Amino acid sequence: MLRVVSADVDTTAGVGAVWLVWLPGSPWAREYTALLEWHDEQWQYVGSGSGPVDDDPADVDVIEICGGGFALSLTHRLDAPHSIALAPRINYAEVHLGPDVSQLLVGNRKIDAPEQRKLIAVWMSRHPSRSTRPVIVALGHDGTELSRFGPHDSLDTYTWARLEEES
């Protein structure tokens, strides 16, 4: 009745994310993303998002960011005054990978590419006003860089190169 698509934990930042599908394969299937934070010496639920399951398998050459979001950290949001304005963000991205990708670098963390070619990556942004994604790099089986997303990029370097070749 419930399938875990992917999970990620950044132990240095004390944050985690789980990507779930409820009732997989049924017409009522829903995707959920739960965000967690290590707070007061235990993992605590911070927030979640949900939506319909995208059953259309993406034909990804190298790497594609297909979704994402954030929740406010428990660190400051429970403190008054102005706690929401000061709270860091726990961010996540849903990433689809091409067949030649062996690992993903998210900032300085290495994540192995799963068989289903979909994963979730989580990170903490300490400054909510400058909430940016870390550099995400797709590595091939031999460890070479295949493509990358910068903090503000909407397309990866591989896709940009292909678009330039076509023009």
Side-chain angles (χ1 to χ4, degrees), residues 56-61 64 96 99:
D56 184 23
D59 187 19
V60 177
D61 287 330
E64 186 176 328
H96 292 199

Side-chain angles (χ1 to χ4, degrees), residues 11-91:
T11 56
T12 304
V15 295
V18 181
W19 182 4
L20 307 158
V21 175
W22 179 68
L23 297 174
S26 84
W28 303 282
R30 301 275 303 168
E31 289 186 339
Y32 292 89
T33 302
L35 297 176
L36 307 164
E37 182 176 17
W38 185 255
H39 187 72
D40 287 339
E41 301 302 315
Q42 63 182 343
W43 285 104
Q44 295 189 22
Y45 170 80
V46 177
S48 63
S50 70
V53 173
D54 181 10
D55 285 331
D56 184 23
D59 187 19
V60 177
D61 287 330
V62 179
I63 184 173
E64 186 176 328
I65 295 178
C66 297
F70 73 92
L72 294 179
S73 167
L74 295 171
T75 306
H76 292 292
R77 80 174 184 186
L78 302 177
D79 301 331
H82 311 295
S83 55
I84 292 175
L86 299 174
R89 290 183 179 189
I90 301 167
N91 303 275

Side-chain angles (χ1 to χ4, degrees), residues 5 7 9 13 33 38-39 56 64 69 83 88 90 95 106 110 112 114 133-135 138 154 166:
V5 176
V9 174
T33 302
W38 185 255
H39 187 72
D56 184 23
E64 186 176 328
S83 55
I90 301 167
V95 184
V106 179
K110 220 178 248 192
D112 290 332
R133 178 179 63 225
V135 173
S154 57
E166 291 174 7

Side-chain angles (χ1 to χ4, degrees), residues 58-153:
D59 187 19
V60 177
D61 287 330
V62 179
I63 184 173
E64 186 176 328
I65 295 178
C66 297
F70 73 92
L72 294 179
S73 167
L74 295 171
T75 306
H76 292 292
R77 80 174 184 186
L78 302 177
D79 301 331
H82 311 295
S83 55
I84 292 175
L86 299 174
R89 290 183 179 189
I90 301 167
N91 303 275
Y92 73 92
E94 295 170 358
V95 184
H96 292 199
L97 304 172
D100 296 331
V101 178
S102 168
Q103 293 181 318
L104 200 66
L105 289 177
V106 179
N108 60 359
R109 293 186 309 118
K110 220 178 248 192
I111 302 171
D112 290 332
E115 280 185 46
Q116 82 272 15
R117 316 309 296 166
K118 295 196 245 182
L119 63 85
I120 193 164
V122 66
W123 65 92
M124 174 80 83
S125 294
R126 297 283 174 204
H127 305 285
S129 62
R130 295 178 287 171
S131 183
T132 59
R133 178 179 63 225
V135 173
I136 297 177
V137 179
L139 301 176
H141 299 288
D142 61 357
T144 59
E145 181 177 317
L146 301 175
S147 190
R148 75 173 42 220
F149 275 98
H152 304 287
D153 293 343

Side-chain angles (χ1 to χ4, degrees), residues 159-167:
T159 303
W160 276 119
R162 289 204 46 199
L163 289 172
E164 288 178 4
E165 286 174 10
E166 291 174 7
S167 55

